[in-house]
Amino acid sequence: MRQLARRLLESMDSTFVTGGGGVGKTRLLRTVAEQFQVSRRGASMGLRVAAPTCVASATAGGVTIHAFLRLPARCFDYKVTEKEDAVRIYAEMDQKTKQRLAVTELLLVDEVSMVSSRMFTVLVHCMDAARIEFPRAMPWRMIAFGDFYQLPPVYSAENADIVLDAEAGFAFESPSWNGLYKSSVLELTYVWRQEDAAFIGMLGELRVGVVSSRLLTFMEERMAAYRKESQSSRFSQDVTHIFARCEDVSKHNSQCLEETERATGSGRAKYKAIDQAMGVTMTDMALKEALDVALLVPFILEVCAGARVAMCSNSLKHKGVHNGTVGVVVRFENCHNSALLSLGVDKVPVVRFESMKGTAVTTAIMPELLKLESVTQRGPYAQRLQVPLMLAWAVTVHRVQGLSLDRAVLDLGRCFKAGMVYVALSRVRSMNGVCVKSFVPSKVIADATVQAFYALQEGKDENIWRLSFCRHAQ
Ligand SMILES: Nc1ncnc2c1ncn2[C@@H]1O[C@H](COP(=O)(O)OP(=O)(O)OP(=O)(O)O)[C@@H](O)[C@H]1O
């Protein structure tokens, strides 16, 4: 993998790295980043890593594309073309951000399937325009990693915590895509996440929208396993539940919170956020809505000892705890901070996280100011003071794209987008780790535009660099 990363760096081209779930795209991204730094004797100047969602950016070790460009929520103007919008956004960008873009030589973007066409156009235009305004000797390039058979960009109304774009064209539909990736595509084909050949074969069919008889038999078996295993009292708390819709996630989390509270006898702590607009006039409702859409942290957070939670900020990044890292509340600690006491916060949760570095980190989580930034105004324009946690017994399919899980309960009956069933199922490492609560074969969908895009890549055979690794070759 190191050799491949070095070849990608030496080629000096922008490249699109693709392949199904678990073929090592994110791992290759991290290796490219590491090799870039090796080539610069440890310096990371000139390198940036970004992804469309908080979880994906944490998994890839970077920031969200919104944060990279310092874009506010709802920054796009759909009345104008993508190119016109990109020109406007760049013109309104602050000088510091432009200079940061201008010194970026290598931009690594993960989970590009969830980047919208408009966002991609804006990103490429801003990078180009910054280079023209602040010329540099080295050109910039972007290596994008992703599988368009996985989740597409989403409408904000569908899943408020993900991509804040009201339009959902794929990045490859952007007028800027072909200019970058016309002649440089790398397809990885060796699946690392799963070992079982039968499971890998079934997932390969599912990826392109095929409901095979072996898939139907497997789903029946795993539904039976769910019915049996869910009899155990700890099952719903101990196994991550993946749902298609946010409301099902909230319902499951509330149920688990009640059960955990009853089981542990621990009282429930309730934290109410303090929202504030800064230099702008907004109604309380509009302010809350803007913050709810842009931040993961809820307005009202209720937790008890034993609650499974996820971190909602990057303030503990130095300890290996990122936005999206999951942990368990182990106890509450009295708070002695007079400012917080005056706000009614007399105790704070202490959480034990499994960090990205594989070690456990136990730490008290203090309320934090989480800010919304705008390109059209200087500095943040709204902020929320809240304990940066959310309940995490259940998650949406959108939040698990990019992750690997040993075990999961999949509630797939309410999937509503192409690629959802595939993404949920392909997160799990083994067949025995899959428990299926619901499944409807008609929800297995592969997007026709994506099929046409990949068929076109097949046609351009000379440009595709296909690689199937063996384990010993790493
Ligand atoms: N070269 C490798 N050697 C050993 N393990 C690997 C290798 N590449 C990937 N893996 C492991 O396989 C799993 C999936 O890898 P990764 O997340 O990089 O895949 P991906 O292609 O980005 O998946 P997805 O598209 O589903 O997000 C991870 O647990 C990773 O550690």
Side-chain angles (χ1 to χ4, degrees), residues 66-85:
H66 267 81
F68 175 64
L69 295 175
R70 285 176 60 85
L71 298 179
R74 301 199 176 94
C75 57
F76 300 121
D77 177 0
Y78 296 98
K79 294 190 289 304
V80 298
T81 65
E82 289 185 7
K83 236 359 226 237
E84 287 165 347
D85 213 11

Side-chain angles (χ1 to χ4, degrees), residues 1 20-27 111 150 192-193 402 404 427 429 474:
M1 183 138 306
V23 294
K25 299 181 293 296
T26 302
R27 185 154 170 154
E111 303 296 357
Q150 296 187 37
W192 290 94
R193 184 175 289 127
S404 302
R427 295 313 93 196
R429 290 195 176 93
Q474 297 306 299

Side-chain angles (χ1 to χ4, degrees), residues 164-290:
L164 311 174
D165 186 350
E167 209 181 50
F170 290 99
F172 63 75
E173 296 178 281
S174 157
S176 308
W177 180 271
N178 269 341
L180 285 186
Y181 303 126
K182 193 170 52 200
S183 61
S184 195
V185 179
L186 166 62
E187 185 181 1
L188 302 178
T189 53
Y190 186 88
V191 178
W192 290 94
R193 184 175 289 127
Q194 291 87 13
E195 290 195 343
D196 187 322
F199 195 20
I200 292 172
M202 210 160 57
L203 289 172
E205 291 165 346
L206 180 63
R207 176 172 176 248
V208 295
V210 174
V211 181
S212 58
S213 55
R214 59 176 168 172
L215 176 78
L216 292 174
T217 310
F218 171 69
M219 292 310 237
E220 281 298 328
E221 277 170 22
R222 298 322 296 168
M223 281 199 259
Y226 170 77
R227 285 192 291 273
K228 193 166 158 223
E229 294 194 37
S230 59
Q231 304 296 318
S232 126
S233 59
R234 295 272 332 147
F235 186 75
S236 57
Q237 276 95 343
D238 291 348
V239 186
T240 304
H241 283 53
I242 302 177
F243 295 95
R245 298 184 184 263
C246 292
E247 63 264 27
D248 294 331
V249 167
S250 303
K251 198 169 142 202
H252 185 82
N253 280 334
S254 304
Q255 269 170 7
C256 286
L257 184 64
E258 269 170 36
E259 284 166 18
T260 307
E261 198 181 6
R262 258 200 312 273
T264 59
S266 118
R268 188 184 293 206
K270 186 170 173 175
Y271 300 96
K272 189 172 171 193
I274 299 174
D275 291 349
Q276 199 182 4
M278 298 149 83
V280 289
T281 311
M282 291 171 97
T283 63
D284 287 352
M285 186 63 109
L287 177 66
K288 179 178 175 299
E289 201 184 294

Side-chain angles (χ1 to χ4, degrees), residues 83-390:
K83 236 359 226 237
E84 287 165 347
D85 213 11
V87 171
R88 174 191 62 83
I89 286 174
Y90 183 77
E92 289 172 356
M93 198 171 265
D94 63 89
Q95 289 300 103
K96 238 172 98 185
T97 308
K98 288 179 177 178
Q99 280 164 356
R100 189 161 42 76
L101 301 189
V103 295
T104 302
E105 285 169 35
L106 177 62
L107 177 59
L108 304 177
V109 174
D110 204 11
E111 303 296 357
V112 72
S113 74
M114 292 170 86
V115 177
S116 70
S117 167
R118 188 167 289 257
M119 175 58 103
F120 191 82
T121 305
V122 168
L123 180 59
V124 174
H125 174 79
C126 291
M127 291 298 291
D128 280 340
R131 275 299 161 120
I132 293 169
E133 193 172 344
F134 304 97
R136 289 282 186 289
M138 290 292 282
W140 75 273
R141 65 198 162 121
M142 184 194 322
I143 306 182
F145 299 75
D147 175 17
F148 286 110
Y149 279 113
Q150 296 187 37
L151 294 178
V154 292
Y155 292 82
S156 53
E158 275 172 3
N159 201 314
D161 61 347
I162 308 290
V163 184
L164 311 174
D165 186 350
E167 209 181 50
F170 290 99
F172 63 75
E173 296 178 281
S174 157
S176 308
W177 180 271
N178 269 341
L180 285 186
Y181 303 126
K182 193 170 52 200
S183 61
S184 195
V185 179
L186 166 62
E187 185 181 1
L188 302 178
T189 53
Y190 186 88
V191 178
W192 290 94
R193 184 175 289 127
Q194 291 87 13
E195 290 195 343
D196 187 322
F199 195 20
I200 292 172
M202 210 160 57
L203 289 172
E205 291 165 346
L206 180 63
R207 176 172 176 248
V208 295
V210 174
V211 181
S212 58
S213 55
R214 59 176 168 172
L215 176 78
L216 292 174
T217 310
F218 171 69
M219 292 310 237
E220 281 298 328
E221 277 170 22
R222 298 322 296 168
M223 281 199 259
Y226 170 77
R227 285 192 291 273
K228 193 166 158 223
E229 294 194 37
S230 59
Q231 304 296 318
S232 126
S233 59
R234 295 272 332 147
F235 186 75
S236 57
Q237 276 95 343
D238 291 348
V239 186
T240 304
H241 283 53
I242 302 177
F243 295 95
R245 298 184 184 263
C246 292
E247 63 264 27
D248 294 331
V249 167
S250 303
K251 198 169 142 202
H252 185 82
N253 280 334
S254 304
Q255 269 170 7
C256 286
L257 184 64
E258 269 170 36
E259 284 166 18
T260 307
E261 198 181 6
R262 258 200 312 273
T264 59
S266 118
R268 188 184 293 206
K270 186 170 173 175
Y271 300 96
K272 189 172 171 193
I274 299 174
D275 291 349
Q276 199 182 4
M278 298 149 83
V280 289
T281 311
M282 291 171 97
T283 63
D284 287 352
M285 186 63 109
L287 177 66
K288 179 178 175 299
E289 201 184 294
L291 287 158
D292 281 347
V293 167
L295 306 174
L296 294 177
V297 66
F299 183 70
I300 292 185
L301 170 73
E302 294 187 71
V303 282
C304 65
R308 192 200 274 242
V309 290
M311 187 68 182
C312 294
S313 91
N314 276 319
S315 57
L316 298 175
K317 207 172 171 175
H318 57 286
K319 294 187 178 181
V321 176
H322 295 255
N323 200 337
T325 305
V326 172
V328 173
V329 175
V330 286
R331 60 177 189 277
F332 289 90
E333 201 169 87
N334 287 335
C335 177
H336 303 293
N337 180 314
S338 55
L340 292 176
L341 284 171
S342 70
L343 296 172
V345 180
D346 57 357
K347 58 182 180 176
V348 290
V350 176
V351 180
R352 184 178 192 276
F353 292 101
E354 289 304 327
S355 80
M356 293 262 179
K357 295 171 185 158
T359 50
V361 174
T362 302
T363 182
I365 306 297
M366 305 302 283
E368 263 179 48
L369 271 178
L370 300 144
K371 298 183 181 185
L372 281 191
E373 308 262 347
S374 165
V375 279
T376 54
Q377 288 144 80
R378 269 179 201 286
Y381 70 97
Q383 63 182 22
R384 169 169 288 177
L385 179 68
Q386 178 59 294
V387 175
L389 294 175
M390 61 187 271

